[in-house]
Amino acid sequence: MDKSIFAKALESQLRSKYNTTVENALDWQLHECVSSAVMEHISPNHAQSLEKHLSGRRAMYLSMEFLMGRAVHNNLMCAGVYEDVEDVLKQHGRSLGELETIEDAALGNGGLGRLAACFLDSAATLDLPLDGYGIRYKYGLFKQKIVDGFQKEEADNWTKYGDPWSVRCQQDAVNIQYADMTVRAVPYDMPIIGYGTDNVGNLRLWQAEAVDDFDFNKFNDGDYTGAQAKKNAAEDISRVLYPNDNTSEGKKLRLRQEYFFSAASVADAIRKHKARFGSLDELEKYLTIQLNDTHPVIAIPELIRQLVCEGYDFETAFEKAHKIFNYTNHTIMAEALEKWDCSLVESVIPKVYTYILMINERFIRDMYSKGMDKKDIAAIQPVAGGRVNMAYMAIYVSSYINGVAEIHTEILKKDALKKWYELYPERFQNKTNGITQRRWLALCNKELSALITRLLGDSGWITDLDRLKELAKYADDENVLGEFIRIKKTKKQQLADFIKQNDGIEINPDTIFDIQIKRLHEYKRQLLNALSIIYIYYGIKDGSIRDFTPTTFIFGAKSAPGYRRAKAIIKLLGEIGKMVNSDEQTKDLLKVVFVQNYNVSAAEKLVCAADVSEQISTAGTEASGTGNMKLMLNGAVTLGTYDGANVEIVQEAGEENNYIFGARVEELADIMPDYDPRKLVFENEKIGRVLEKLIDSNFDDGGVPSDQEGSFKELYKALTDGASWHVPDHYYVVGDLESYVAAKLRCNSDYKDKLAFARKCWLNMCSAGKFSSDRTIRDYAQNIWKIVPVSKRGV
Ligand SMILES: *Cc1c(COP(=O)(O)O)cnc(C)c1O
């Protein structure tokens, strides 16, 4: 892009849209016009790429969530114009930094949605014909404020100041039919700019609108509200992202949402294929669809339904669906598995329900013909007990099913989906998750990126992360490590500045930054971290812990609004902070900070400032994790359990360079049946006094009655007595506490030798190549989707 042409385009945009200049434009006006100018620049490539993707076999990625974050800086970098644009702005006394006030596109909850975003980035960069399909929520994930230590939610109207990175494609709108209404699905396309290539991927987000949005007769009759009613009912469907991470609610509107974007995406695929090839006879040769978790699984009976409408018989349609669909499993936790009540599905989408039943019948026939007995069939049939098991339907129809880390896939095969694995062993694959090094290193840590590029002699690592291995030879080079330490210090200072501004709290960059950032969940065990801080606090006070290296414990986490126990844990962290931050004996040694509104933009600041990455889920519960990879890539050691991708992180970077603790999956299987946390609390005085703190009334939980969730006493009871739906301490917090504290203290002591600790951090960074989503996506492309880069297609 020619700088002076860009400058002219920017000036003309600002003049025509807002009658202003680069000097005087408001942040959001500047954002709008910088973005529009770059959009214009890339739009020929975007159009050409869309066309190219359709000219051969391609993959669709269906996901209820895309946690994209802020687009502008990443897009400028990937388009290769970041420095040019910054130069132009500088000439007018402006800077790209000012655009940090622009809202994130937070159309996702956490890891699952961010994975989808990283995948699109990697596929675009690798020239792979993969396009994303999802929902254009009007309100993304809520904004979190901490008021008196409590989480408060605010609506996230992310397009308030426009959405310059989307193009409305009215011509591709489709009607979606429910039993009681028909809704228009209007697509908005976002370019996914590949790095160092002309290929531009596409994210198509569907927005729900009324078919005819205004009832003129009602209006004339004076019924002003009634005139708007249909419009509102239609728009409700894409109004808001459900804020639950890893839980399924079974709500009617949620089912409508799932069907809405699944059906629209399937219709889009069919229409495009027919337009190009005349018939659908070879659809499966040109199309493969990845289902990100079970949320889009309703696309399976819907595709069959649409094919039958096109004149195919059920059996032919089923075979096509079998060849087209693949399913990614993200969790085995019961509360996350989607099982829809048959009555609900039948009442909302009766025509689709018919095909669900036909799939189920086909399954039963299929199993009888294999000689399976009735009981075994009943155990895994997709429709049973008045509910549709979406995972089972997906596995039965799909070509491939994958887990997201080695340990997770093994658990699927040996335990959670054992019967299915025995039936179809050839369908199961592992695809360990990954992250894009464009956003999670090149963009968020320009200082470290510059060092890496200088040492390697070129910036090839940005598209080939395995090159970081070559840097392992500097692990004992004091000059390089010295520079690495200085960079970490700079990033810690930048984070301190951000936290000052975001939360009004001062933190000291000369302390250890020990960071736990992720959704607030019992299985992720922020409570374990909290209890360990109380443990250490008492240890420092009674002199049993000496020479403690000053540490700042940093948390960032949103709780689902209705998840009372998670909200209690947020409040608890605040109370612990008050205690340790103000105690004369500990305030220079311990500091606890809660960063409000954790999102992608905050993550970009946090991951590069960590010394210690907290990945402490109960073994067997975190399918993969991707936060762990972001922190590793930026040179933090992992303090974690043998869970998810931590296992592979340690395999790559060496156990000696990380801090692994706690019961393993196999051990927990033996322990849990007769686990009694009360015994530990009773016999171990140090554990006892930590737990006591939850009930001794020095901490203020806002006065919630003790039998209610949200209170600290209820947290105590969950750990000691359990609850109606779970055994005492079902995530083994108390059981792992001692080994966790021991690992934490070992790490704390190791930090005193700055060079030795930096060496561990360095080697973690050098070993992060495997965790590039480029590796993950290549693996999907070769072994599931069977697609090749558009640049390598025969002409
Ligand atoms: C990466 C990321 C996550 C996922 O973190 P985990 O530690 O893997 O759970 C969640 N939210 C945001 C904003 C992220 O960037």
Side-chain angles (χ1 to χ4, degrees):
M1 188 178 64
D2 188 284
K3 250 198 266 187
S4 65
I5 294 180
F6 170 77
K8 286 227 167 63
L10 175 60
E11 281 163 17
S12 120
Q13 288 267 356
L14 283 166
R15 183 56 65 201
S16 63
K17 279 191 180 139
Y18 302 111
N19 197 22
T20 186
T21 60
V22 183
E23 284 82 0
N24 296 320
L26 300 171
D27 292 350
W28 65 268
Q29 293 172 330
L30 197 60
H31 171 253
E32 179 88 17
C33 295
V34 165
S35 305
S36 300
V38 175
M39 273 294 261
E40 224 172 276
H41 171 68
I42 61 156
S43 83
N45 281 343
H46 189 198
Q48 256 173 37
S49 300
L50 276 169
E51 195 52 33
K52 262 196 205 156
H53 289 194
L54 288 171
S55 72
R57 185 171 169 80
R58 69 169 185 131
M60 291 169 66
Y61 197 81
L62 265 59
S63 179
M64 195 85 177
E65 304 187 9
F66 287 91
L67 189 45
M68 302 300 285
R70 196 180 290 127
V72 61
H73 299 103
N74 189 254
N75 281 355
L76 296 182
M77 180 185 76
C78 290
V81 302
Y82 191 100
E83 281 77 21
D84 285 352
V85 171
E86 183 71 323
D87 280 352
V88 169
L89 294 189
K90 261 203 194 120
Q91 286 166 16
H92 298 270
R94 305 300 298 264
S95 143
L96 281 170
E98 295 173 52
L99 304 187
E100 290 197 4
T101 53
I102 300 304
E103 307 276 351
D104 277 25
L107 308 184
N109 274 286
L112 173 145
R114 185 53 230 176
L115 182 76
C118 283
F119 280 2
L120 295 184
D121 175 280
S122 284
T125 298
L126 296 172
D127 291 339
L128 286 164
L130 171 85
D131 297 303
Y133 289 79
I135 298 176
R136 188 170 190 265
Y137 301 105
K138 170 141 207 254
Y139 298 101
L141 184 61
F142 64 85
K143 288 200 260 186
Q144 179 197 54
K145 289 253 160 71
I146 302 295
V147 180
D148 296 334
F150 294 103
Q151 167 175 304
K152 300 283 174 229
E153 301 91 22
E154 283 175 10
D156 168 54
N157 187 2
W158 67 283
T159 59
K160 189 169 50 186
Y161 294 122
D163 174 21
W165 295 104
S166 293
V167 182
R168 182 180 168 99
C169 301
Q170 186 94 39
Q171 70 282 5
D172 287 350
V174 290
N175 284 351
I176 304 301
Q177 286 187 9
Y178 301 94
D180 57 344
M181 67 202 285
T182 299
V183 169
R184 199 135 181 86
V186 182
Y188 282 70
D189 283 1
M190 271 186 195
I192 308 295
I193 305 172
Y195 184 95
T197 169
D198 285 343
N199 184 50
V200 178
N202 193 53
L203 171 57
R204 172 156 277 197
L205 297 176
W206 300 96
Q207 173 167 296
E209 297 180 7
V211 175
D212 39 14
D213 67 16
F214 188 72
D215 191 327
F216 212 80
N217 293 321
K218 279 200 171 138
F219 181 80
N220 278 339
D221 293 344
D223 180 4
Y224 304 121
T225 319
Q228 285 275 13
K230 270 194 187 160
K231 179 174 192 296
N232 289 337
E235 290 175 6
D236 277 345
I237 291 173
S238 60
R239 192 165 327 268
V240 58
L241 166 77
Y242 274 88
N244 308 310
D245 185 71
N246 270 312
T247 49
S248 164
E249 269 203 277
K251 296 263 169 69
K252 189 173 189 170
L253 180 59
R254 171 75 175 194
L255 180 62
R256 283 200 204 272
Q257 288 186 336
E258 294 187 356
Y259 181 64
F260 171 72
F261 92 101
S262 299
S265 304
V266 164
D268 196 60
I270 286 186
R271 187 185 48 76
K272 281 178 175 152
H273 186 88
K274 262 172 76 174
R276 184 171 284 265
F277 299 99
S279 96
L280 297 167
D281 291 354
E282 292 195 317
L283 183 63
E284 65 277 15
K285 194 173 143 193
Y286 288 92
L287 180 67
T288 177
I289 298 178
Q290 192 67 37
L291 304 169
N292 194 24
D293 211 316
T294 55
H295 319 140
V297 164
I298 201 74
I300 292 175
E302 173 63 13
L303 174 67
I304 295 175
R305 188 191 70 81
Q306 290 191 28
L307 288 172
V308 170
C309 290
E310 296 280 342
Y312 295 93
D313 59 41
F314 174 77
E315 201 47 38
T316 308
F318 183 95
E319 274 307 318
K320 284 185 185 297
H322 167 60
K323 288 178 183 144
I324 288 170
F325 284 107
N326 309 289
Y327 156 63
T328 303
N329 176 284
H330 284 271
T331 178
I332 55 164
M333 285 191 308
E335 62 268 34
L337 298 178
E338 287 192 300
K339 291 176 193 149
W340 290 104
D341 279 335
C342 292
S343 55
L344 181 70
V345 180
E346 188 175 20
S347 73
V348 175
I349 39 174
K351 288 183 187 156
V352 186
Y353 183 63
T354 302
Y355 288 94
I356 293 176
L357 293 182
M358 288 171 79
I359 291 168
N360 190 55
E361 287 305 312
R362 190 186 188 280
F363 170 79
I364 294 169
R365 259 186 287 122
D366 219 3
M367 294 305 109
Y368 270 115
S369 77
K370 283 179 191 276
M372 197 189 265
D373 70 39
K374 200 174 159 175
K375 217 179 92 218
D376 288 339
I377 297 173
I380 57 170
Q381 70 187 41
V383 182
R387 295 200 293 178
V388 187
N389 185 314
M390 302 305 268
Y392 290 179
M393 181 160 66
I395 300 168
Y396 175 53
V397 183
S398 292
S399 284
Y400 297 105
I401 296 100
N402 74 282
V404 290
E406 277 164 18
I407 186 177
H408 169 61
T409 302
E410 286 310 305
I411 292 172
L412 292 181
K413 296 201 286 199
K414 288 190 188 132
D415 186 24
L417 300 174
K418 186 163 186 277
K419 296 219 168 89
W420 286 105
Y421 178 60
E422 284 164 3
L423 253 173
Y424 303 119
E426 72 288 353
R427 292 189 185 178
F428 284 73
Q429 293 195 10
N430 174 247
K431 296 284 165 280
T432 299
N433 284 166
I435 54 165
T436 168
Q437 68 266 32
R438 269 76 64 187
R439 185 176 289 262
W440 297 112
L441 181 53
L443 184 72
C444 73
N445 199 342
K446 293 208 184 294
E447 296 85 348
L448 184 55
S449 298
L451 174 63
I452 293 168
T453 296
R454 205 183 75 222
L455 293 175
L456 286 176
D458 62 83
S459 60
W461 61 272
I462 299 178
T463 50
D464 179 7
L465 199 61
D466 283 327
R467 297 245 351 244
L468 296 185
K469 275 200 191 91
E470 297 168 27
L471 300 176
K473 64 180 180 215
Y474 297 108
D476 296 302
D477 182 324
E478 294 196 3
N479 290 324
V480 171
L481 288 187
E483 200 162 340
F484 181 57
I485 290 168
R486 278 194 296 281
I487 289 168
K488 181 59 60 89
K489 176 83 184 287
T490 303
K491 301 312 282 184
K492 287 163 84 170
Q493 183 60 57
Q494 290 170 5
L495 177 62
D497 296 343
F498 171 74
I499 289 176
K500 179 90 205 344
Q501 176 205 327
N502 192 64
D503 306 280
I505 302 170
E506 309 241 7
I507 59 174
N508 178 359
D510 289 321
T511 61
I512 297 175
F513 278 15
D514 177 312
I515 301 189
Q516 187 173 20
I517 42 174
K518 49 188 73 258
R519 286 298 292 255
L520 202 312
H521 252 290
E522 287 167 274
Y523 85 82
K524 290 175 183 283
R525 297 202 296 191
Q526 282 93 351
L527 182 57
L528 174 60
N529 196 345
L531 297 182
S532 83
I533 297 169
I534 303 177
Y535 190 114
I536 292 167
Y537 169 78
Y538 280 132
I540 291 172
K541 287 189 78 79
D542 75 8
S544 61
I545 294 174
R546 272 166 283 135
D547 300 321
F548 188 80
T549 317
T551 302
T552 306
F553 296 98
I554 301 170
F555 293 85
K558 285 177 183 172
S559 158
Y563 190 170
R564 313 246 289 284
R565 221 177 250 174
K567 286 188 149 175
I569 294 170
I570 292 178
K571 176 66 176 162
L572 177 65
L573 288 168
E575 292 297 302
I576 295 172
K578 273 198 231 161
M579 175 175 79
V580 305
N581 301 353
S582 66
D583 189 311
E584 282 303 321
Q585 232 180 316
T586 58
K587 71 181 178 41
D588 294 331
L589 295 176
L590 298 174
K591 183 138 197 169
V592 177
V593 202
F594 193 95
V595 179
Q596 53 187 348
N597 201 38
Y598 177 57
N599 61 10
V600 169
S601 289
E604 288 169 20
K605 304 210 182 292
L606 286 152
V607 297
C608 48
D611 297 303
V612 182
S613 162
E614 296 266 2
Q615 308 299 337
I616 60 176
S617 52
T618 316
T621 63
E622 187 77 273
S624 163
T626 51
N628 46 4
M629 301 167 185
K630 299 168 196 164
L631 288 136
M632 174 202 203
L633 178 61
N634 284 275
V637 300
T638 297
L639 169 53
T641 46
Y642 258 107
D643 198 22
N646 297 353
V647 177
E648 291 159 71
I649 285 177
V650 170
Q651 247 167 38
E652 296 294 305
E655 189 140 357
E656 69 283 7
N657 297 314
N658 290 289
Y659 298 86
I660 299 300
F661 71 92
R664 306 198 177 190
V665 181
E666 321 80 69
E667 294 169 343
L668 281 172
D670 290 337
I671 294 170
M672 284 316 276
D674 4 71
Y675 172 49
D676 179 9
R678 272 205 184 273
K679 199 159 142 46
L680 277 172
V681 174
F682 176 71
E683 286 175 358
N684 184 321
E685 196 191 326
K686 288 181 176 171
I687 295 180
R689 68 181 175 188
V690 169
L691 271 279
E692 194 74 16
K693 201 83 201 98
L694 294 175
I695 50 174
D696 77 354
S697 80
N698 284 327
F699 282 167
D700 175 15
D701 59 14
V704 191
S706 66
D707 59 335
Q708 276 194 29
E709 289 179 273
S711 82
F712 298 162
K713 290 190 182 67
E714 201 278 333
L715 292 179
Y716 178 87
K717 262 173 64 181
L719 294 178
T720 52
D721 297 342
S724 60
W725 68 95
H726 69 78
V727 299
D729 191 16
H730 54 324
Y731 291 115
Y732 205 60
V733 171
V734 179
D736 272 346
L737 183 57
E738 288 262 279
S739 98
Y740 177 49
V741 171
K744 209 167 198 170
L745 292 176
R746 195 153 52 80
C747 175
N748 181 273
S749 160
D750 285 355
Y751 188 84
K752 291 193 188 305
D753 186 342
K754 286 247 159 94
L755 272 183
F757 196 85
R759 183 178 188 279
K760 291 179 199 281
C761 292
W762 182 260
L763 287 173
N764 269 282
M765 179 200 82
C766 297
S767 313
K770 175 175 179 185
F771 305 105
S772 168
S773 45
D774 297 350
R775 184 268 312 149
T776 317
I777 281 295
R778 269 203 197 91
D779 191 353
Y780 275 99
Q782 278 171 20
N783 298 309
I784 295 183
W785 303 331
K786 325 275 162 93
I787 56 171
V788 295
V790 284
S791 46
K792 292 209 180 113
R793 271 185 192 159
V795 208

